[in-house]
Amino acid sequence: MFTVLVEGPSMTPTLHDGDRLIARRGGRAIRPGDLVAARFRSRPDTIVVRRADRQVPDGWWLTSDNPFGGDASDSLGVAEILGRILFRVAPRPGPLHGPPVILS
């Protein structure tokens, strides 16, 4: 297990700047909809938290929960999953839920 610190608004409203998360390497297989810690191949020095959308031949396609911002696979390409986010430990401890529903 490892911790991840959220920086920026890319996963709002699910996560917020300053949230500290626990992620797990291994365990059950990643499924579409899971929150994950990952590395985009186009930015190998940066770890991001995004939502797994679908597995593709060379890795995973990831999305942002914030429809107005946040780099995701549509601009950065395929990502390598480092671990699945299990829960938030600070500043609001608790489980994390599925993607937000956007009403139009």
Side-chain angles (χ1 to χ4, degrees):
M1 289 202 213
F2 60 99
T3 62
V4 180
L5 178 64
V6 175
E7 295 180 353
S10 65
M11 291 301 290
T12 301
T14 307
L15 301 172
H16 301 279
D17 188 62
D19 284 354
R20 187 168 300 280
L21 313 171
I22 298 293
R24 179 179 182 182
R25 289 182 178 93
R28 76 161 170 77
I30 301 298
R31 296 187 286 228
D34 284 346
L35 288 176
V36 297
R39 232 184 230 124
F40 286 106
R41 296 204 173 130
S42 60
R43 289 193 184 160
D45 297 331
T46 304
I47 295 175
V48 299
V49 175
R50 295 292 185 274
R51 193 164 299 278
D53 183 59
R54 65 187 180 276
Q55 194 164 14
V56 294
D58 293 330
W60 277 85
W61 197 258
L62 305 180
T63 61
S64 167
D65 281 3
N66 184 343
F68 302 108
D71 292 332
S73 289
D74 56 349
S75 61
L76 297 174
V78 174
E80 169 195 357
I81 303 292
L82 304 175
R84 182 172 54 92
I85 304 299
L86 300 178
F87 53 90
R88 176 180 24 235
V89 292
R92 302 172 323 274
L96 298 166
H97 302 287
V101 175
I102 309 251
L103 302 174
S104 53

